[in-house]
Amino acid sequence: MADLTCKIAGITSPNPFWLASAPPTDKEYNVVRAYEAGWGGVVWKTLGEEGPPVVNVSSRYGAISYNGTKMAGLNNIELITDRPLEVNLEEMTRVKKNWPDRVLIASLMVPCEEDAWKDILKRVDETGCDGYELNFGCPHGMSERGMGSAVGQVPEYINMVTKWCKEYTKKPVFVKLTPNITDILIPARAAVDGGADAVSLINTINSITSIDLDAMSPTPVVDGIGAHGGYCGPAVKPIALCMVGEIARDPECKNIPISAIGGISNWHDAAEFIALGAGSLQVCTAAMHHGFKIVEDMIDGLSNWMDDKGYKTLEDFRGLAVPNYKNWGDLNMNFETKAVIDEDACIQCGKCFAACEDTSHQAILAENINGERKYSVITDECVGCNLCELVCPVDDCITMTPTPSDKPYMTWGEDPRNPINQAKKVS
Amino acid sequence: MSDLAKSKADENRADIEPRRLETTEYEKNFCDVLTPLDRNTAVREANHCLFCYDAPCIDACPTSIDIPSFIKKISTDNVKGAAKTILEQNIMGGGCARVCPVEELCESACVRKTQSNDPVKIGQLQRYATDHLFARDDAQLFERKASTGKTIAVIGAGPAGLSCAHNLSREGHDVVIFEARPKSGGLNEYGIAAYKMANDFAQKEVDYILSLGGIEIRHDHALGQHITLDGLRAEYDAVFLGMGMGGVNALGLDNEGLEGVDNAVDYIASLRQVDDKATLPVGRRVVVIGGGNTAIDMAIQIKRLGAEDVTLVYRRGTDEMGATDHEQEFAQTNDVRIKLWAKPSKLIGENGHISAIEFEYTKLDNNGRLIGTGEFYTLEADMVFKAIGQNFDAAPLNGTLDISAKGKIAVNDDGQTTLNNVWAGGDCTEGADLTVVAVQDGKKAAASINKFLAV
Ligand SMILES: Cc1cc2nc3c(=O)[nH]c(=O)nc-3n(C[C@H](O)[C@H](O)[C@H](O)COP(=O)(O)OP(=O)(O)OC[C@H]3O[C@@H](n4cnc5c(N)ncnc54)[C@H](O)[C@@H]3O)c2cc1C
Ligand SMILES: Cc1cc2nc3c(=O)[nH]c(=O)nc-3n(C[C@H](O)[C@H](O)[C@H](O)COP(=O)(O)O)c2cc1C
Ligand code: SF4
């Protein structure tokens, strides 16, 4: 049996599966249920400063159902915790005491003032929590009050607040980044420079999930109108993977540990993030959709897959995909792959033909032989785009098959077809 | 002389022949009834499952398999994990996936059935997961705890006995199974319809169970013949009785000894054991009496062996039939004629062989009791099969323990009999006569025995 022990920024949890800061971690009751179900850790729902009450509106979530699949993407307009700080701290203390082997991270969001951060750290330190996550990510509501992503979009603020926190606590500091920026490396580097022990990403993405065409308002509709919310769930996983990969391979980020978040729904997603350098994994939407019990397959599936692959610990495959994440300019122009259709497996739906004929390279031949529909690849026309393989509803029916070649590895920079090289030739 | 002319000329002879079909047809007729799911279909089907909370299907499974969890695991390609979730609760999950009347059990409770009459195909997914596991090199999922030095005797290597033995062995006890027949598996090996247990699956499952270690099977050892319950109680730390039913109900008519009148279970047993099904004698016109799954299985299998005309006669209506709607429908699609509301009244023979059977129409009287109407009809028959139920044969127990009002071994909720170190389960105790129930009984008794031995 593989060992799933997870170590990140000096914190150890029995498995890498943590619940992200959100409603599933809003109180002792939920967190204890989560631990009982097997979650390795939680990031408690973001705490704010004492005083100004946080009040949520009614009608808070919207979702994308895609082809009958519920909640392919989830959107919310909730704020940070709306329970009194005192109550949260008392519960956190008790939870950590009763569950010493599980991780408990405190997520914090207070105004950009040194004293505010100093005060909150002092108070929360007493809970015995394992570390902090600075919520610089929430893109709605709190950002209108100059917090959350309003901080996360200004690298100087990230840097400044991180430094304060590192000064006022000895516990590890995770900086939670917002994806609502142009280049994730800029805030990430600001956090690294500020002394962050780890980064967590992604928080939610600015979104309007849908327009209610009767109310003529974005959803969720609050008394006839809507505001943009934060998007998460399976739909955002590719965006999160890309941002995690950017940081993992960036020399200036200095291998900062990453707690990956965004659409993680099963062990397979988890393994992908770890392969791309993630340390721990945080989950929100999948738990909100299916309940805490999903962690069982996350743990069991990851462990079985690791056994099959011969990986004994998470370190054995962590980051293995990072060296293979390159830029387009590093790709081999001499690589060629072609579609091959397995006629026996083909159910003759013609999806590949429609896709290729209408939108790609007219590289699929549609025939009707004695009433039998037959689809085959015109190999010379196939550019190896993968579209037919992607649309085909049958597993392993269309296989992209690399053409054997003895041509050397050649990037676009080295390619004679590149105008720069042609200019060189002329000169 | 043509075949037809020959049979006309020799009217006194019953028309019973082997090899009624082309050689290739036997294989086709007795291969797996259900095509195993491929990955594509399995994953799609798994995604139809809602991963319900406290799911009703779990309650509807006698062995309480965590169905949503194993299906979730299939959806993420953690198929080995799915198999483990199944086998942890039900060591014969592979067999049950093939034989359970799922439309009455797990699938009947599926909320997708309530929503759109489209229940998740739980049985087929269970088979997908267990088949995957058995094809793996690392199929062994279980370990035995440190040896306790205790030994338990189990009577019968059927589902109840094997399940009990496996659960006891996991706890570190040694088990000796005494089995009257030359092969293990009980009715999985000798009774279940051949097309449900294709490719010798019953033996593969037994092998898997035994691969854990700690279980010895002594074949051709019958309780009451070679061993006694008193002897076992003295020699072993505990005893589990999983001996099935043994007895077959008779019609109570004259002439039951005529040639060509047979018990369905006996014919099915020889069908399951014969190397070449083409050698089995098959009547041209066959009548099966009974309304349970055994009757249905008999009728379908004799039809699939080439009988021309198969009629199943049951004394009540479809609703009262023990066979599920699904089984009844399957019989009809196999060209079995089902006649209701009639009971056999006379077996008619010629030269010592059955030639026809007379039935009396039945109805319910004002008190809801079944009565004959006094009107009769006759069906010509070359073979008649009795499938009107089995009964527990208590003789091997020699009166050592209490028998329930329904004539089975009396047990409490833990499967314990009236003798303090003897447990029983499966068909020899009360409760539905199903493989999955036998497995659960064996599991439950093992837990109770384990507790008993710990003190
Ligand atoms: C024709 C037929 C079809 C069926 N089809 C289905 C089906 O599709 N689905 C389903 O769920 N159930 C089906 N059943 C019922 C199912 O097979 C039984 O409920 C199940 O096998 C009971 O398991 P068991 O271990 O209690 O008994 P058995 O399977 O009967 O096993 C008892 C074992 O004990 C042995 N034994 C008996 N007496 C002695 C003795 N004195 N000493 C030593 N050993 C002894 C027997 O040889 C046998 O191996 C069917 C039954 C029949 C008869
Ligand atoms: C309803 C809701 C409330 C959230 N509240 C917070 C929060 O208080 N603090 C925070 O850092 N992130 C919050 N998040 C963002 C999640 O922690 C997480 O980053 C995001 O949902 C992406 O993960 P997922 O795709 O697994 O849901 C919230 C998300 C949701 C859906
Ligand atoms: S054992 Fe039988 S009843 Fe239980 S889940 Fe499996 S198929 Fe359904």
Side-chain angles (χ1 to χ4, degrees):
Chain A
M1 263 275 283
D3 176 6
L4 296 193
T5 306
C6 166
K7 295 196 170 92
I8 178 169
I11 298 170
T12 305
S13 59
N15 65 59
F17 299 105
W18 300 357
L19 285 166
S21 174
T25 62
D26 193 28
K27 43 182 143 27
E28 180 178 10
Y29 179 79
N30 305 67
V31 171
V32 167
R33 277 175 72 86
Y35 286 161
E36 281 167 356
W39 291 86
V42 304
V43 183
W44 202 276
K45 172 79 181 167
T46 305
L47 308 173
E49 61 180 346
E50 194 144 49
V54 170
V55 183
N56 275 301
V57 295
S58 186
S59 181
R60 304 176 186 181
Y61 307 149
I64 293 290
S65 294
Y66 188 71
N67 283 353
T69 300
K70 300 283 271 184
M71 281 190 29
L74 174 70
N75 157 296
N76 85 89
I77 54 170
E78 265 180 0
L79 307 177
I80 60 174
T81 184
D82 51 12
R83 302 183 332 133
L85 181 63
E86 197 55 50
V87 174
N88 277 310
L89 296 183
E90 191 192 310
E91 290 185 2
M92 288 164 73
T93 310
R94 195 161 47 234
V95 166
K96 186 61 209 181
K97 191 164 146 262
N98 292 340
W99 296 84
D101 72 319
R102 307 301 171 91
V103 165
L104 195 166
I105 306 272
S107 167
L108 305 177
M109 183 198 285
V110 294
C112 267
E113 295 153 15
E114 187 164 357
D115 281 347
W117 287 95
K118 186 177 166 184
D119 291 348
I120 189 108
L121 285 166
K122 187 152 170 278
R123 294 196 64 181
V124 185
D125 257 359
E126 287 163 17
T127 61
C129 69
D130 297 291
Y132 293 102
E133 189 177 83
L134 315 185
N135 179 349
F136 297 154
C138 187
H140 47 79
M142 302 312 289
S143 55
E144 293 173 23
R145 304 180 197 181
M147 292 182 268
S149 65
V151 178
Q153 285 163 339
V154 184
E156 293 77 11
Y157 287 170
I158 294 179
N159 191 265
M160 177 177 75
V161 178
T162 310
K163 282 181 175 156
W164 291 338
C165 292
K166 283 305 290 176
E167 191 181 335
Y168 296 119
T169 180
K170 295 202 163 44
K171 295 182 195 282
V173 172
F174 291 52
V175 172
K176 185 164 179 179
L177 301 174
T178 175
N180 298 307
I181 37 80
T182 316
D183 179 357
I184 194 67
L185 290 178
I186 309 229
R189 288 171 185 164
V192 172
D193 185 70
D197 298 284
V199 287
S200 306
L201 71 164
I202 58 176
N203 208 311
T204 54
I205 303 172
N206 282 348
S207 66
I208 294 176
T209 37
S210 64
I211 298 294
D212 180 327
L213 288 179
D214 295 319
M216 279 298 168
S217 154
T219 60
V221 183
V222 181
D223 194 20
I225 64 169
H228 83 259
Y231 199 45
C232 52
V236 310
K237 184 192 119 186
I239 298 165
L241 264 179
C242 179
M243 292 186 167
V244 164
E246 287 290 310
I247 295 173
R249 70 174 186 171
D250 178 46
E252 288 181 49
C253 284
K254 300 175 186 155
N255 289 322
I256 187 158
I258 301 169
S259 188
I261 321 168
I264 298 170
S265 309
N266 54 50
W267 66 267
H268 205 284
D269 296 335
E272 293 174 32
F273 274 100
I274 297 172
L276 206 48
S280 66
L281 309 159
Q282 297 186 31
V283 175
C284 171
T285 304
M288 290 180 73
H289 191 176
H290 300 296
F292 290 150
K293 198 178 158 192
I294 46 156
V295 76
E296 192 211 331
D297 177 47
M298 292 181 170
I299 293 170
D300 186 55
L302 184 61
S303 162
N304 283 337
W305 172 77
M306 287 170 64
D307 288 347
D308 282 354
K309 291 282 180 187
Y311 299 131
K312 296 202 165 49
T313 70
L314 300 177
E315 295 318 314
D316 288 357
F317 75 101
R318 188 186 317 287
L320 287 189
V322 177
N324 294 330
Y325 173 38
K326 292 267 174 61
N327 290 335
W328 191 92
D330 301 316
L331 304 178
N332 180 6
M333 304 304 295
N334 278 332
F335 176 76
E336 192 182 75
T337 184
K338 303 262 185 194
V340 177
I341 299 177
D342 176 351
E343 271 175 42
D344 293 332
C346 172
I347 57 171
Q348 303 172 8
C349 64
K351 298 289 291 181
C352 56
F353 178 78
C356 192
E357 195 70 8
D358 287 353
T359 73
S360 292
H361 297 87
Q362 296 76 45
I364 290 181
L365 180 66
E367 294 170 286
N368 194 317
I369 301 167
N370 302 327
E372 284 272 310
R373 291 142 63 95
K374 183 182 161 193
Y375 299 95
S376 54
V377 177
I378 309 165
T379 305
D380 283 347
E381 296 297 326
C382 177
V383 302
C385 74
N386 300 346
L387 182 64
C388 57
E389 183 203 21
L390 298 175
V391 300
C392 178
V394 182
D395 279 353
D396 302 327
C397 174
I398 300 186
T399 314
M400 299 306 299
T401 312
T403 317
S405 153
D406 44 19
K407 291 188 195 154
Y409 197 105
M410 178 186 71
T411 64
W412 178 237
E414 297 154 354
D415 194 321
R417 292 166 293 187
N418 183 335
I420 290 182
N421 293 331
Q422 283 175 2
K424 272 190 207 149
K425 231 192 269 168
V426 174
S427 64
Chain B
M1 207 163 29
S2 76
D3 281 356
L4 188 66
K6 196 168 129 208
S7 67
K8 278 257 159 67
D10 194 4
E11 280 193 346
N12 285 343
R13 237 196 51 200
D15 191 347
I16 298 179
E17 302 273 350
R19 302 186 200 287
R20 287 187 179 271
L21 304 173
E22 297 293 330
T23 323
T24 51
E25 284 177 287
Y26 292 96
E27 173 143 1
K28 203 178 87 208
N29 288 354
F30 290 93
C31 70
D32 243 319
V33 257
L34 284 174
T35 321
L37 302 181
D38 59 18
R39 179 191 169 274
N40 213 2
T41 322
V43 170
R44 198 183 54 210
E45 191 60 32
N47 283 319
H48 187 49
C49 171
L50 292 172
F51 197 61
C52 302
Y53 178 75
D54 193 10
C57 54
I58 304 179
D59 292 336
C61 168
T63 55
S64 308
I65 292 174
D66 186 344
I67 295 164
S69 282
F70 95 68
I71 294 182
K72 177 65 132 192
K73 290 177 183 183
I74 290 175
S75 78
T76 70
D77 277 331
N78 175 16
V79 191
K80 183 183 175 189
K84 185 161 191 205
T85 302
I86 295 162
L87 297 187
E88 258 168 359
Q89 287 300 324
N90 179 340
I91 190 59
M92 304 190 95
C96 285
R98 291 162 165 78
V99 309
C100 273
V102 286
E103 60 286 349
E104 310 267 304
L105 300 172
C106 49
E107 292 180 18
S108 76
C110 178
V111 300
R112 288 290 203 190
K113 187 174 175 195
T114 320
Q115 185 188 28
S116 52
N117 203 18
D118 184 18
V120 176
K121 296 188 179 77
I122 298 170
Q124 290 197 63
L125 287 170
Q126 181 169 316
R127 170 153 179 195
Y128 171 78
T130 48
D131 279 359
H132 167 94
L133 180 78
F134 295 143
R136 290 176 66 110
D137 295 335
D138 59 348
Q140 184 54 263
L141 300 174
F142 302 98
E143 267 175 55
R144 300 186 68 200
K145 288 191 186 156
S147 170
T148 61
K150 310 264 185 194
T151 310
I152 295 102
V154 167
I155 303 298
L162 288 166
S163 156
C164 185
H166 191 265
N167 281 283
L168 288 169
S169 171
R170 279 175 71 183
E171 294 295 337
H173 310 302
D174 289 323
V175 182
V176 179
I177 304 182
F178 297 93
E179 167 55 58
R181 301 184 103 146
K183 281 165 112 180
S184 311
L187 290 171
N188 274 1
E189 174 60 38
Y190 291 97
I192 300 284
Y195 41 75
K196 292 187 191 169
M197 277 281 174
N199 305 319
D200 212 16
F201 183 78
Q203 289 313 305
K204 288 182 189 149
E205 191 161 49
V206 171
D207 292 345
Y208 182 75
I209 291 172
L210 299 185
S211 69
L212 175 68
I215 305 171
E216 180 200 338
I217 305 188
R218 297 193 193 148
H219 290 111
D220 304 305
H221 276 67
L223 183 73
Q225 242 176 298
H226 310 96
I227 39 176
T228 64
L229 187 53
D230 286 341
L232 293 175
R233 291 182 66 202
E235 196 182 331
Y236 292 88
D237 296 296
V239 180
F240 175 79
L241 304 170
M243 50 209 287
M245 280 193 275
V248 180
N249 293 342
L251 297 171
L253 297 175
D254 291 342
N255 278 343
E256 235 166 287
L258 281 173
E259 240 181 274
V261 179
D262 202 355
N263 289 317
V265 285
D266 295 336
Y267 189 90
I268 293 172
S270 42
L271 182 150
R272 285 293 310 272
Q273 294 310 309
V274 74
D275 283 333
D276 179 6
K277 294 192 176 61
T279 61
L280 290 166
V282 177
R284 188 165 68 85
R285 297 154 307 178
V286 178
V287 174
V288 180
I289 304 163
N293 283 339
T294 303
I296 296 271
D297 283 0
M298 182 66 236
I300 294 172
Q301 290 181 102
I302 199 82
K303 183 79 206 176
R304 287 183 171 215
L305 282 170
E308 184 184 309
D309 182 39
V310 179
T311 309
L312 182 151
V313 186
Y314 176 56
R315 60 192 172 139
R316 295 174 188 267
T318 41
D319 290 349
E320 292 85 3
M321 264 180 136
T324 65
D325 293 352
H326 172 81
E327 297 275 344
Q328 293 179 35
E329 206 179 293
F330 190 51
Q332 281 159 348
T333 53
N334 274 273
D335 201 17
V336 168
R337 184 158 58 126
I338 298 183
K339 284 183 75 92
L340 302 166
W341 298 108
K343 61 177 184 187
S345 46
K346 201 192 281 174
L347 294 162
I348 303 157
E350 261 171 50
N351 303 330
H353 198 288
I354 187 83
S355 64
I357 170 166
E358 181 197 76
F359 288 90
E360 180 179 9
Y361 286 103
T362 54
K363 65 173 187 188
L364 296 180
D365 69 10
N366 292 338
N367 300 320
R369 268 196 344 233
L370 191 77
I371 52 164
T373 64
E375 293 157 298
F376 297 85
Y377 67 86
T378 302
L379 294 177
E380 291 186 349
D382 303 303
M383 277 180 151
V384 167
F385 290 105
K386 296 178 280 182
I388 55 168
Q390 290 166 267
N391 56 62
F392 175 60
D393 174 13
L397 299 172
N398 224 350
T400 41
L401 40 69
D402 285 6
I403 298 299
S404 72
K406 288 184 185 154
K408 294 200 171 182
I409 300 175
V411 289
N412 66 15
D413 287 347
D414 291 332
Q416 197 166 17
T417 68
T418 45
L419 295 173
N420 82 316
N421 59 347
V422 181
W423 281 254
D427 282 2
C428 64
T429 57
E430 282 180 19
D433 295 330
L434 293 174
T435 306
V436 63
V437 172
V439 172
Q440 174 63 10
D441 284 358
K443 179 175 102 182
K444 211 171 53 184
S448 174
I449 293 171
N450 190 45
K451 237 195 252 161
F452 169 82
L453 294 179
V455 291

